[in-house]
Amino acid sequence: EMTWKFFQENFAGFKKKVGDSAMIFDRTIGFIIGFFTSNEKASEIEKFFHENPTPNAERTIKQRLEAIRSSSKWLEKNR
């Protein structure tokens, strides 16, 4: 949660330093958002990247959002 918050607050700086096309930015995004497990967090992430487009990380973001929602559904079903 703290890493996600830090990333959001410093997104412009990260994007400026790394650039859109850098693979490291794509992997960083995937790592930061990959551990959440709630639909609420998935919606928050989706909104953030809608407002702050990162075209070259779009596939990773979609994959992670799908995984988050899947995990959320599993947790609701099996808690």
PDB file of all heavy atoms in Angstrom, residues 3-4 7 26-37 41 45-46 48-49 57 60-65 67-68:
ATOM      1  N   THR A   3       3.948   1.570  -1.058  1.00  0.00           N
ATOM      2  CA  THR A   3       4.643   1.693  -2.339  1.00  0.00           C
ATOM      3  C   THR A   3       3.707   2.247  -3.405  1.00  0.00           C
ATOM      4  O   THR A   3       4.094   3.096  -4.209  1.00  0.00           O
ATOM      5  CB  THR A   3       5.200   0.323  -2.776  1.00  0.00           C
ATOM      6  OG1 THR A   3       6.011  -0.198  -1.728  1.00  0.00           O
ATOM      7  CG2 THR A   3       6.025   0.443  -4.028  1.00  0.00           C
ATOM      8  N   TRP A   4       2.470   1.779  -3.416  1.00  0.00           N
ATOM      9  CA  TRP A   4       1.477   2.255  -4.383  1.00  0.00           C
ATOM     10  C   TRP A   4       1.215   3.753  -4.180  1.00  0.00           C
ATOM     11  O   TRP A   4       1.173   4.516  -5.114  1.00  0.00           O
ATOM     12  CB  TRP A   4       0.203   1.434  -4.273  1.00  0.00           C
ATOM     13  CG  TRP A   4      -0.969   1.964  -5.034  1.00  0.00           C
ATOM     14  CD1 TRP A   4      -2.177   2.299  -4.512  1.00  0.00           C
ATOM     15  CD2 TRP A   4      -1.063   2.216  -6.446  1.00  0.00           C
ATOM     16  NE1 TRP A   4      -3.006   2.755  -5.504  1.00  0.00           N
ATOM     17  CE2 TRP A   4      -2.350   2.718  -6.707  1.00  0.00           C
ATOM     18  CE3 TRP A   4      -0.193   2.089  -7.506  1.00  0.00           C
ATOM     19  CZ2 TRP A   4      -2.777   3.072  -7.982  1.00  0.00           C
ATOM     20  CZ3 TRP A   4      -0.610   2.445  -8.784  1.00  0.00           C
ATOM     21  CH2 TRP A   4      -1.895   2.919  -9.014  1.00  0.00           C
ATOM     22  N   PHE A   7       4.228   5.688  -5.347  1.00  0.00           N
ATOM     23  CA  PHE A   7       4.260   5.680  -6.805  1.00  0.00           C
ATOM     24  C   PHE A   7       3.281   6.706  -7.386  1.00  0.00           C
ATOM     25  O   PHE A   7       3.633   7.453  -8.297  1.00  0.00           O
ATOM     26  CB  PHE A   7       3.934   4.281  -7.335  1.00  0.00           C
ATOM     27  CG  PHE A   7       3.938   4.191  -8.827  1.00  0.00           C
ATOM     28  CD1 PHE A   7       5.129   4.090  -9.524  1.00  0.00           C
ATOM     29  CD2 PHE A   7       2.756   4.200  -9.542  1.00  0.00           C
ATOM     30  CE1 PHE A   7       5.136   4.008 -10.908  1.00  0.00           C
ATOM     31  CE2 PHE A   7       2.747   4.119 -10.921  1.00  0.00           C
ATOM     32  CZ  PHE A   7       3.947   4.016 -11.606  1.00  0.00           C
ATOM     33  N   ASP A  26       7.438  -0.546 -17.114  1.00  0.00           N
ATOM     34  CA  ASP A  26       6.384  -1.552 -17.243  1.00  0.00           C
ATOM     35  C   ASP A  26       6.496  -2.584 -16.122  1.00  0.00           C
ATOM     36  O   ASP A  26       5.516  -2.906 -15.457  1.00  0.00           O
ATOM     37  CB  ASP A  26       6.509  -2.222 -18.617  1.00  0.00           C
ATOM     38  CG  ASP A  26       5.563  -3.394 -18.788  1.00  0.00           C
ATOM     39  OD1 ASP A  26       4.343  -3.149 -18.799  1.00  0.00           O
ATOM     40  OD2 ASP A  26       6.043  -4.518 -18.921  1.00  0.00           O
ATOM     41  N   ARG A  27       7.677  -3.072 -15.878  1.00  0.00           N
ATOM     42  CA  ARG A  27       7.880  -4.085 -14.839  1.00  0.00           C
ATOM     43  C   ARG A  27       7.669  -3.516 -13.447  1.00  0.00           C
ATOM     44  O   ARG A  27       7.169  -4.199 -12.563  1.00  0.00           O
ATOM     45  CB  ARG A  27       9.255  -4.707 -14.972  1.00  0.00           C
ATOM     46  CG  ARG A  27       9.338  -5.550 -16.215  1.00  0.00           C
ATOM     47  CD  ARG A  27      10.633  -6.246 -16.352  1.00  0.00           C
ATOM     48  NE  ARG A  27      10.623  -6.952 -17.620  1.00  0.00           N
ATOM     49  CZ  ARG A  27      11.254  -8.069 -17.828  1.00  0.00           C
ATOM     50  NH1 ARG A  27      11.968  -8.606 -16.861  1.00  0.00           N
ATOM     51  NH2 ARG A  27      11.206  -8.652 -18.997  1.00  0.00           N
ATOM     52  N   THR A  28       8.062  -2.277 -13.257  1.00  0.00           N
ATOM     53  CA  THR A  28       7.864  -1.624 -11.961  1.00  0.00           C
ATOM     54  C   THR A  28       6.380  -1.510 -11.658  1.00  0.00           C
ATOM     55  O   THR A  28       5.930  -1.834 -10.559  1.00  0.00           O
ATOM     56  CB  THR A  28       8.529  -0.234 -11.937  1.00  0.00           C
ATOM     57  OG1 THR A  28       9.923  -0.388 -12.179  1.00  0.00           O
ATOM     58  CG2 THR A  28       8.308   0.460 -10.625  1.00  0.00           C
ATOM     59  N   ILE A  29       5.621  -1.063 -12.628  1.00  0.00           N
ATOM     60  CA  ILE A  29       4.171  -0.945 -12.455  1.00  0.00           C
ATOM     61  C   ILE A  29       3.573  -2.314 -12.128  1.00  0.00           C
ATOM     62  O   ILE A  29       2.781  -2.451 -11.194  1.00  0.00           O
ATOM     63  CB  ILE A  29       3.504  -0.340 -13.711  1.00  0.00           C
ATOM     64  CG1 ILE A  29       3.893   1.128 -13.849  1.00  0.00           C
ATOM     65  CG2 ILE A  29       1.982  -0.501 -13.653  1.00  0.00           C
ATOM     66  CD1 ILE A  29       3.493   1.759 -15.164  1.00  0.00           C
ATOM     67  N   GLY A  30       3.959  -3.322 -12.886  1.00  0.00           N
ATOM     68  CA  GLY A  30       3.445  -4.670 -12.651  1.00  0.00           C
ATOM     69  C   GLY A  30       3.751  -5.168 -11.251  1.00  0.00           C
ATOM     70  O   GLY A  30       2.910  -5.786 -10.599  1.00  0.00           O
ATOM     71  N   PHE A  31       4.946  -4.878 -10.774  1.00  0.00           N
ATOM     72  CA  PHE A  31       5.333  -5.315  -9.436  1.00  0.00           C
ATOM     73  C   PHE A  31       4.539  -4.568  -8.366  1.00  0.00           C
ATOM     74  O   PHE A  31       4.036  -5.172  -7.424  1.00  0.00           O
ATOM     75  CB  PHE A  31       6.831  -5.098  -9.223  1.00  0.00           C
ATOM     76  CG  PHE A  31       7.291  -5.516  -7.860  1.00  0.00           C
ATOM     77  CD1 PHE A  31       7.458  -6.852  -7.553  1.00  0.00           C
ATOM     78  CD2 PHE A  31       7.535  -4.577  -6.883  1.00  0.00           C
ATOM     79  CE1 PHE A  31       7.872  -7.255  -6.291  1.00  0.00           C
ATOM     80  CE2 PHE A  31       7.957  -4.954  -5.617  1.00  0.00           C
ATOM     81  CZ  PHE A  31       8.118  -6.298  -5.317  1.00  0.00           C
ATOM     82  N   ILE A  32       4.402  -3.272  -8.515  1.00  0.00           N
ATOM     83  CA  ILE A  32       3.742  -2.453  -7.499  1.00  0.00           C
ATOM     84  C   ILE A  32       2.268  -2.825  -7.342  1.00  0.00           C
ATOM     85  O   ILE A  32       1.766  -2.917  -6.231  1.00  0.00           O
ATOM     86  CB  ILE A  32       3.895  -0.951  -7.815  1.00  0.00           C
ATOM     87  CG1 ILE A  32       5.357  -0.533  -7.621  1.00  0.00           C
ATOM     88  CG2 ILE A  32       2.976  -0.099  -6.950  1.00  0.00           C
ATOM     89  CD1 ILE A  32       5.677   0.858  -8.134  1.00  0.00           C
ATOM     90  N   ILE A  33       1.589  -3.035  -8.437  1.00  0.00           N
ATOM     91  CA  ILE A  33       0.147  -3.291  -8.347  1.00  0.00           C
ATOM     92  C   ILE A  33      -0.201  -4.776  -8.287  1.00  0.00           C
ATOM     93  O   ILE A  33      -1.358  -5.135  -8.074  1.00  0.00           O
ATOM     94  CB  ILE A  33      -0.634  -2.619  -9.501  1.00  0.00           C
ATOM     95  CG1 ILE A  33      -0.290  -3.238 -10.855  1.00  0.00           C
ATOM     96  CG2 ILE A  33      -0.411  -1.119  -9.481  1.00  0.00           C
ATOM     97  CD1 ILE A  33      -1.112  -2.709 -12.016  1.00  0.00           C
ATOM     98  N   GLY A  34       0.774  -5.651  -8.428  1.00  0.00           N
ATOM     99  CA  GLY A  34       0.505  -7.077  -8.551  1.00  0.00           C
ATOM    100  C   GLY A  34       0.118  -7.809  -7.293  1.00  0.00           C
ATOM    101  O   GLY A  34      -0.253  -8.973  -7.365  1.00  0.00           O
ATOM    102  N   PHE A  35       0.172  -7.162  -6.147  1.00  0.00           N
ATOM    103  CA  PHE A  35      -0.083  -7.875  -4.898  1.00  0.00           C
ATOM    104  C   PHE A  35      -1.423  -7.543  -4.253  1.00  0.00           C
ATOM    105  O   PHE A  35      -1.732  -8.066  -3.190  1.00  0.00           O
ATOM    106  CB  PHE A  35       1.051  -7.605  -3.894  1.00  0.00           C
ATOM    107  CG  PHE A  35       2.360  -8.164  -4.367  1.00  0.00           C
ATOM    108  CD1 PHE A  35       3.298  -7.356  -4.963  1.00  0.00           C
ATOM    109  CD2 PHE A  35       2.624  -9.517  -4.232  1.00  0.00           C
ATOM    110  CE1 PHE A  35       4.506  -7.884  -5.414  1.00  0.00           C
ATOM    111  CE2 PHE A  35       3.830 -10.060  -4.672  1.00  0.00           C
ATOM    112  CZ  PHE A  35       4.774  -9.229  -5.266  1.00  0.00           C
ATOM    113  N   PHE A  36      -2.206  -6.705  -4.881  1.00  0.00           N
ATOM    114  CA  PHE A  36      -3.510  -6.349  -4.315  1.00  0.00           C
ATOM    115  C   PHE A  36      -4.529  -7.437  -4.615  1.00  0.00           C
ATOM    116  O   PHE A  36      -4.389  -8.185  -5.579  1.00  0.00           O
ATOM    117  CB  PHE A  36      -3.979  -5.000  -4.857  1.00  0.00           C
ATOM    118  CG  PHE A  36      -3.133  -3.846  -4.398  1.00  0.00           C
ATOM    119  CD1 PHE A  36      -2.361  -3.135  -5.285  1.00  0.00           C
ATOM    120  CD2 PHE A  36      -3.112  -3.483  -3.064  1.00  0.00           C
ATOM    121  CE1 PHE A  36      -1.574  -2.074  -4.861  1.00  0.00           C
ATOM    122  CE2 PHE A  36      -2.329  -2.431  -2.619  1.00  0.00           C
ATOM    123  CZ  PHE A  36      -1.559  -1.717  -3.528  1.00  0.00           C
ATOM    124  N   THR A  37      -5.572  -7.506  -3.779  1.00  0.00           N
ATOM    125  CA  THR A  37      -6.564  -8.575  -3.945  1.00  0.00           C
ATOM    126  C   THR A  37      -7.999  -8.106  -3.718  1.00  0.00           C
ATOM    127  O   THR A  37      -8.844  -8.893  -3.300  1.00  0.00           O
ATOM    128  CB  THR A  37      -6.264  -9.732  -2.962  1.00  0.00           C
ATOM    129  OG1 THR A  37      -6.273  -9.213  -1.633  1.00  0.00           O
ATOM    130  CG2 THR A  37      -4.946 -10.413  -3.258  1.00  0.00           C
ATOM    131  N   LYS A  41      -9.502  -1.900  -4.884  1.00  0.00           N
ATOM    132  CA  LYS A  41      -8.153  -1.495  -5.275  1.00  0.00           C
ATOM    133  C   LYS A  41      -7.997  -1.582  -6.785  1.00  0.00           C
ATOM    134  O   LYS A  41      -7.365  -0.727  -7.399  1.00  0.00           O
ATOM    135  CB  LYS A  41      -7.106  -2.363  -4.577  1.00  0.00           C
ATOM    136  CG  LYS A  41      -5.697  -1.860  -4.731  1.00  0.00           C
ATOM    137  CD  LYS A  41      -5.495  -0.444  -4.246  1.00  0.00           C
ATOM    138  CE  LYS A  41      -5.544  -0.332  -2.759  1.00  0.00           C
ATOM    139  NZ  LYS A  41      -5.263   1.031  -2.263  1.00  0.00           N
ATOM    140  N   ILE A  45      -6.830   1.506  -9.133  1.00  0.00           N
ATOM    141  CA  ILE A  45      -5.700   1.402 -10.059  1.00  0.00           C
ATOM    142  C   ILE A  45      -6.147   1.730 -11.477  1.00  0.00           C
ATOM    143  O   ILE A  45      -5.481   2.468 -12.201  1.00  0.00           O
ATOM    144  CB  ILE A  45      -5.087  -0.010  -9.979  1.00  0.00           C
ATOM    145  CG1 ILE A  45      -4.421  -0.205  -8.621  1.00  0.00           C
ATOM    146  CG2 ILE A  45      -4.111  -0.256 -11.121  1.00  0.00           C
ATOM    147  CD1 ILE A  45      -4.063  -1.647  -8.298  1.00  0.00           C
ATOM    148  N   GLU A  46      -7.278   1.184 -11.859  1.00  0.00           N
ATOM    149  CA  GLU A  46      -7.822   1.427 -13.197  1.00  0.00           C
ATOM    150  C   GLU A  46      -8.071   2.920 -13.422  1.00  0.00           C
ATOM    151  O   GLU A  46      -7.717   3.475 -14.466  1.00  0.00           O
ATOM    152  CB  GLU A  46      -9.115   0.633 -13.366  1.00  0.00           C
ATOM    153  CG  GLU A  46      -9.604   0.510 -14.765  1.00  0.00           C
ATOM    154  CD  GLU A  46     -10.708  -0.522 -14.870  1.00  0.00           C
ATOM    155  OE1 GLU A  46     -11.614  -0.551 -13.992  1.00  0.00           O
ATOM    156  OE2 GLU A  46     -10.658  -1.306 -15.821  1.00  0.00           O
ATOM    157  N   PHE A  48      -6.623   5.426 -11.813  1.00  0.00           N
ATOM    158  CA  PHE A  48      -5.345   6.141 -11.833  1.00  0.00           C
ATOM    159  C   PHE A  48      -4.706   6.074 -13.221  1.00  0.00           C
ATOM    160  O   PHE A  48      -4.264   7.086 -13.759  1.00  0.00           O
ATOM    161  CB  PHE A  48      -4.374   5.566 -10.788  1.00  0.00           C
ATOM    162  CG  PHE A  48      -3.030   6.215 -10.830  1.00  0.00           C
ATOM    163  CD1 PHE A  48      -2.821   7.435 -10.210  1.00  0.00           C
ATOM    164  CD2 PHE A  48      -1.979   5.628 -11.508  1.00  0.00           C
ATOM    165  CE1 PHE A  48      -1.585   8.069 -10.270  1.00  0.00           C
ATOM    166  CE2 PHE A  48      -0.734   6.234 -11.560  1.00  0.00           C
ATOM    167  CZ  PHE A  48      -0.541   7.459 -10.938  1.00  0.00           C
ATOM    168  N   PHE A  49      -4.663   4.890 -13.805  1.00  0.00           N
ATOM    169  CA  PHE A  49      -4.004   4.756 -15.107  1.00  0.00           C
ATOM    170  C   PHE A  49      -4.872   5.271 -16.256  1.00  0.00           C
ATOM    171  O   PHE A  49      -4.342   5.571 -17.322  1.00  0.00           O
ATOM    172  CB  PHE A  49      -3.529   3.329 -15.338  1.00  0.00           C
ATOM    173  CG  PHE A  49      -2.310   3.003 -14.527  1.00  0.00           C
ATOM    174  CD1 PHE A  49      -2.376   2.130 -13.462  1.00  0.00           C
ATOM    175  CD2 PHE A  49      -1.100   3.615 -14.795  1.00  0.00           C
ATOM    176  CE1 PHE A  49      -1.261   1.851 -12.695  1.00  0.00           C
ATOM    177  CE2 PHE A  49       0.026   3.358 -14.041  1.00  0.00           C
ATOM    178  CZ  PHE A  49      -0.050   2.470 -12.987  1.00  0.00           C
ATOM    179  N   ALA A  57       2.698   0.206 -20.967  1.00  0.00           N
ATOM    180  CA  ALA A  57       2.474  -0.689 -19.826  1.00  0.00           C
ATOM    181  C   ALA A  57       1.020  -1.151 -19.791  1.00  0.00           C
ATOM    182  O   ALA A  57       0.611  -1.841 -18.860  1.00  0.00           O
ATOM    183  CB  ALA A  57       2.828   0.021 -18.524  1.00  0.00           C
ATOM    184  N   THR A  60       0.399  -4.949 -19.313  1.00  0.00           N
ATOM    185  CA  THR A  60       0.726  -5.383 -17.949  1.00  0.00           C
ATOM    186  C   THR A  60      -0.339  -4.938 -16.969  1.00  0.00           C
ATOM    187  O   THR A  60      -0.758  -5.712 -16.104  1.00  0.00           O
ATOM    188  CB  THR A  60       2.103  -4.811 -17.528  1.00  0.00           C
ATOM    189  OG1 THR A  60       3.101  -5.360 -18.389  1.00  0.00           O
ATOM    190  CG2 THR A  60       2.428  -5.138 -16.082  1.00  0.00           C
ATOM    191  N   ILE A  61      -0.804  -3.707 -17.104  1.00  0.00           N
ATOM    192  CA  ILE A  61      -1.841  -3.182 -16.212  1.00  0.00           C
ATOM    193  C   ILE A  61      -3.111  -4.013 -16.337  1.00  0.00           C
ATOM    194  O   ILE A  61      -3.704  -4.417 -15.331  1.00  0.00           O
ATOM    195  CB  ILE A  61      -2.098  -1.691 -16.488  1.00  0.00           C
ATOM    196  CG1 ILE A  61      -0.849  -0.869 -16.138  1.00  0.00           C
ATOM    197  CG2 ILE A  61      -3.320  -1.195 -15.726  1.00  0.00           C
ATOM    198  CD1 ILE A  61      -0.854   0.536 -16.691  1.00  0.00           C
ATOM    199  N   LYS A  62      -3.519  -4.303 -17.556  1.00  0.00           N
ATOM    200  CA  LYS A  62      -4.725  -5.117 -17.768  1.00  0.00           C
ATOM    201  C   LYS A  62      -4.569  -6.512 -17.168  1.00  0.00           C
ATOM    202  O   LYS A  62      -5.500  -7.038 -16.548  1.00  0.00           O
ATOM    203  CB  LYS A  62      -5.043  -5.216 -19.260  1.00  0.00           C
ATOM    204  CG  LYS A  62      -5.631  -3.964 -19.834  1.00  0.00           C
ATOM    205  CD  LYS A  62      -5.954  -4.139 -21.297  1.00  0.00           C
ATOM    206  CE  LYS A  62      -6.535  -2.848 -21.861  1.00  0.00           C
ATOM    207  NZ  LYS A  62      -6.888  -2.987 -23.277  1.00  0.00           N
ATOM    208  N   GLN A  63      -3.392  -7.108 -17.347  1.00  0.00           N
ATOM    209  CA  GLN A  63      -3.155  -8.439 -16.791  1.00  0.00           C
ATOM    210  C   GLN A  63      -3.213  -8.417 -15.272  1.00  0.00           C
ATOM    211  O   GLN A  63      -3.798  -9.306 -14.650  1.00  0.00           O
ATOM    212  CB  GLN A  63      -1.800  -8.964 -17.253  1.00  0.00           C
ATOM    213  CG  GLN A  63      -1.766  -9.341 -18.710  1.00  0.00           C
ATOM    214  CD  GLN A  63      -0.362  -9.689 -19.180  1.00  0.00           C
ATOM    215  OE1 GLN A  63       0.632  -9.226 -18.624  1.00  0.00           O
ATOM    216  NE2 GLN A  63      -0.287 -10.497 -20.224  1.00  0.00           N
ATOM    217  N   ARG A  64      -2.605  -7.416 -14.677  1.00  0.00           N
ATOM    218  CA  ARG A  64      -2.596  -7.324 -13.212  1.00  0.00           C
ATOM    219  C   ARG A  64      -3.995  -7.054 -12.670  1.00  0.00           C
ATOM    220  O   ARG A  64      -4.388  -7.602 -11.649  1.00  0.00           O
ATOM    221  CB  ARG A  64      -1.634  -6.243 -12.729  1.00  0.00           C
ATOM    222  CG  ARG A  64      -0.180  -6.503 -13.021  1.00  0.00           C
ATOM    223  CD  ARG A  64       0.303  -7.782 -12.350  1.00  0.00           C
ATOM    224  NE  ARG A  64       1.725  -7.963 -12.495  1.00  0.00           N
ATOM    225  CZ  ARG A  64       2.299  -8.717 -13.426  1.00  0.00           C
ATOM    226  NH1 ARG A  64       1.551  -9.368 -14.295  1.00  0.00           N
ATOM    227  NH2 ARG A  64       3.610  -8.833 -13.496  1.00  0.00           N
ATOM    228  N   LEU A  65      -4.757  -6.211 -13.362  1.00  0.00           N
ATOM    229  CA  LEU A  65      -6.127  -5.935 -12.926  1.00  0.00           C
ATOM    230  C   LEU A  65      -6.968  -7.206 -12.984  1.00  0.00           C
ATOM    231  O   LEU A  65      -7.766  -7.479 -12.083  1.00  0.00           O
ATOM    232  CB  LEU A  65      -6.758  -4.829 -13.770  1.00  0.00           C
ATOM    233  CG  LEU A  65      -6.230  -3.425 -13.521  1.00  0.00           C
ATOM    234  CD1 LEU A  65      -6.760  -2.463 -14.580  1.00  0.00           C
ATOM    235  CD2 LEU A  65      -6.591  -2.944 -12.125  1.00  0.00           C
ATOM    236  N   ALA A  67      -5.841 -10.245 -12.666  1.00  0.00           N
ATOM    237  CA  ALA A  67      -5.378 -11.102 -11.571  1.00  0.00           C
ATOM    238  C   ALA A  67      -5.922 -10.620 -10.226  1.00  0.00           C
ATOM    239  O   ALA A  67      -6.317 -11.435  -9.383  1.00  0.00           O
ATOM    240  CB  ALA A  67      -3.855 -11.136 -11.547  1.00  0.00           C
ATOM    241  N   ILE A  68      -5.951  -9.313 -10.021  1.00  0.00           N
ATOM    242  CA  ILE A  68      -6.484  -8.751  -8.773  1.00  0.00           C
ATOM    243  C   ILE A  68      -7.947  -9.117  -8.622  1.00  0.00           C
ATOM    244  O   ILE A  68      -8.384  -9.569  -7.557  1.00  0.00           O
ATOM    245  CB  ILE A  68      -6.299  -7.217  -8.735  1.00  0.00           C
ATOM    246  CG1 ILE A  68      -4.815  -6.855  -8.635  1.00  0.00           C
ATOM    247  CG2 ILE A  68      -7.082  -6.603  -7.577  1.00  0.00           C
ATOM    248  CD1 ILE A  68      -4.522  -5.379  -8.904  1.00  0.00           C
TER     249      ILE A  68
END
